[in-house]
Amino acid sequence: MYNSSHTIAGNLLLTVVVGLFLGFIIGYPGWTLALALILWGIYQVRQFKRLQQWLMREDHTDVPESNGYWGELFDEISRDQKRQLQRAQSLRKVIHRFQQSSAALSDAIVIIDAQNHLEWWNRAAEKLLGMKAQTDRGRSVMNLLRDPRFVRYYRKSQYDDPLQLTSPVHKDSVLEYRITRFGDGDRILVARDITRLKQLEQTRQDFVANASHELRTPLTVIRGYLETFLDQDLPRPMLRGLSQMENQSRRMENLVADLLLLSRLETSAHVSDELPVPIHSMIARIREDALVLGQDKDQTIDMDLQESSALLGQESEIYSAISNLVFNAVRYTPAGGKIQLRWWTDKEGGHFAVKDNGPGIDSIHLPRLQERFYRVDESRSSDSGGTGLGLAIVKHVMLRHGGKLTISSQLDKGSTFTCHFPHELVIPAAAREKAQ
């Protein structure tokens, strides 16, 4: 802004000097000086009122004409307003371009303020989420998307993983929700239609399930005949071959069973019913089975179970996840090793950990350890009788319960596998006993 303080002071000083000079000439310096200052003040007020009236007008193109510092001030304000107008027009163009580009996207984009109110969305959001500009602007996002799983995901404020739910508008469509924070508590919600991907995934799952089911019957027949032959008095070389065939057929049956279980887990992203799970007795029962499995290894399996809390979920799935982790520890921990089973709760939720002092796993394998059929050591896994699907099953069980599996390991020091359940599934032990 133009700074005219020195010019105004100079003009005032000149007025005083002229007034005194004329006053001394006519013999009334005081009255002349006062009259000069009054006239100078009237001029300043008049110019100020012109500036005020001009600023209050909508059209600022007609700049008031004036001389001296008031003219310079009018011109400087006019130039500044033109610069502001150019910046505003440039910003409007950017916003218009953003709206055009976002409207062209097939993904729904929703901007949510810090109070969880809907601020803006594109046309795809109206199609996929059913938003209406006339009624939904300013509403809470949780009043529009009322699925309890979305509300839980939104309130959890941990958006590393996306959420997949049925579209609130089209029940045959599946949407993937991603939320990103920005600004001071604001959020951007992006919803993508993944119906086609889910259909392809379902086709793959159906194929695996059907193939596994069809393999079950011939494997049962083959194993039955092998067991019958092994009971006969046959030459030793033939018995050795039949014994290996029987072991491999048993392994194939376990593989088919795991494939069927994994296929069933993949059919739905969430459990249908959350019922009280006797987690303490379940872990104790799995420990007894683990001692039988490793009876030739003389291993020590300790338990540390917090008794003040229990768990909600699908009992059969949680049993499968925990037993897979414990039995893996038994298989890969050498003779005389120690295994610790621990259950505890905190403000984050419930946690079950299996810790062993086995050979450990190199860190390069940890990111892929939960993939299907991924093996750290092919020969060691084959000798243990594993199917390569155990950790994949655990991963999907945890995903269906809104939790996750974490793995930490060091070579020659052992490994720790931990299941983390959300706090919504943790209940007091008294509540579980009452429910039962």
Side-chain angles (χ1 to χ4, degrees), residues 70 98 260 300 368 390 392:
W70 279 105
F98 169 76
L260 289 172
T300 301
R368 301 188 58 192

Side-chain angles (χ1 to χ4, degrees), residues 19-67:
L20 288 174
F21 177 74
L22 293 175
F24 281 116
I25 293 176
I26 64 177
Y28 298 99
W31 288 102
T32 307
L33 176 61
L35 180 60
L37 290 176
I38 290 173
L39 293 175
W40 183 86
I42 293 173
Y43 175 77
Q44 304 304 321
V45 171
R46 180 173 176 272
Q47 295 298 326
F48 180 76
K49 289 188 67 175
R50 291 180 66 198
L51 174 62
Q52 187 180 36
Q53 292 172 356
W54 179 61
L55 291 176
M56 292 178 64
R57 284 159 41 185
E58 294 184 1
D59 183 14
H60 294 157
T61 56
D62 187 12
V63 182
E65 294 291 337
S66 186
N67 298 321

Side-chain angles (χ1 to χ4, degrees), residues 36-216:
L37 290 176
I38 290 173
L39 293 175
W40 183 86
I42 293 173
Y43 175 77
Q44 304 304 321
V45 171
R46 180 173 176 272
Q47 295 298 326
F48 180 76
K49 289 188 67 175
R50 291 180 66 198
L51 174 62
Q52 187 180 36
Q53 292 172 356
W54 179 61
L55 291 176
M56 292 178 64
R57 284 159 41 185
E58 294 184 1
D59 183 14
H60 294 157
T61 56
D62 187 12
V63 182
E65 294 291 337
S66 186
N67 298 321
Y69 56 86
W70 279 105
E72 296 177 7
L73 181 60
F74 286 142
D75 292 339
E76 182 64 27
I77 293 176
S78 177
R79 286 191 292 267
D80 184 67
Q81 288 186 337
K82 288 179 180 179
R83 288 192 292 267
Q84 293 289 346
L85 180 60
Q86 289 175 352
R87 282 195 288 266
Q89 290 176 343
S90 177
L91 182 59
R92 279 194 293 268
K93 288 180 180 179
V94 171
I95 294 175
H96 182 65
R97 292 278 294 174
F98 169 76
Q99 291 176 339
Q100 283 185 323
S101 59
S102 61
L105 294 174
S106 59
D107 297 343
I109 300 177
V110 183
I111 297 179
I112 307 169
D113 65 17
Q115 287 73 41
N116 305 323
H117 296 153
L118 301 172
E119 280 193 345
W120 178 89
W121 57 84
N122 63 350
R123 276 182 285 185
E126 298 178 358
K127 178 182 177 182
L128 297 178
L129 303 177
M131 294 182 176
K132 299 178 181 178
Q134 296 83 0
T135 57
D136 293 334
R137 196 175 305 278
R139 290 181 60 188
S140 172
V141 64
M142 288 176 284
N143 288 340
L144 186 67
L145 303 175
R146 300 181 180 181
D147 191 303
R149 291 166 292 182
F150 176 83
V151 174
R152 183 186 304 173
Y153 175 75
Y154 185 86
R155 288 177 173 171
K156 189 168 58 174
S157 298
Q158 297 176 359
Y159 308 130
D160 296 334
D161 299 320
L163 175 69
Q164 296 182 4
L165 293 174
T166 303
S167 169
V169 180
H170 309 287
K171 299 305 180 184
D172 295 332
S173 300
V174 180
L175 302 181
E176 180 183 81
Y177 295 91
R178 288 185 178 272
I179 299 178
T180 304
R181 289 183 175 272
F182 75 100
D184 188 14
D186 298 332
R187 296 174 175 89
I188 292 180
L189 168 66
V190 179
R192 172 173 297 178
D193 189 343
I194 58 169
T195 306
R196 178 61 178 166
L197 293 176
K198 293 296 292 184
Q199 289 174 345
L200 293 174
E201 180 68 13
Q202 186 63 45
T203 301
R204 183 192 65 80
Q205 293 173 6
D206 292 343
F207 170 77
V208 172
N210 293 335
S212 301
H213 184 74
E214 292 300 324
L215 284 171
R216 225 173 182 179

Side-chain angles (χ1 to χ4, degrees), residues 39 53 57 60 81 85 88 108 122 127 169 203 233 238 267 283 290 323 340 353 355 357-358 362 365 368 378 385 417:
L39 293 175
Q53 292 172 356
R57 284 159 41 185
H60 294 157
Q81 288 186 337
L85 180 60
N122 63 350
K127 178 182 177 182
V169 180
T203 301
D233 187 13
M238 186 174 293
T267 56
I283 296 174
S323 61
Q340 183 181 23
K355 183 179 181 181
N357 62 347
D362 197 324
H365 298 291
R368 301 188 58 192
E378 188 72 28
F417 295 78

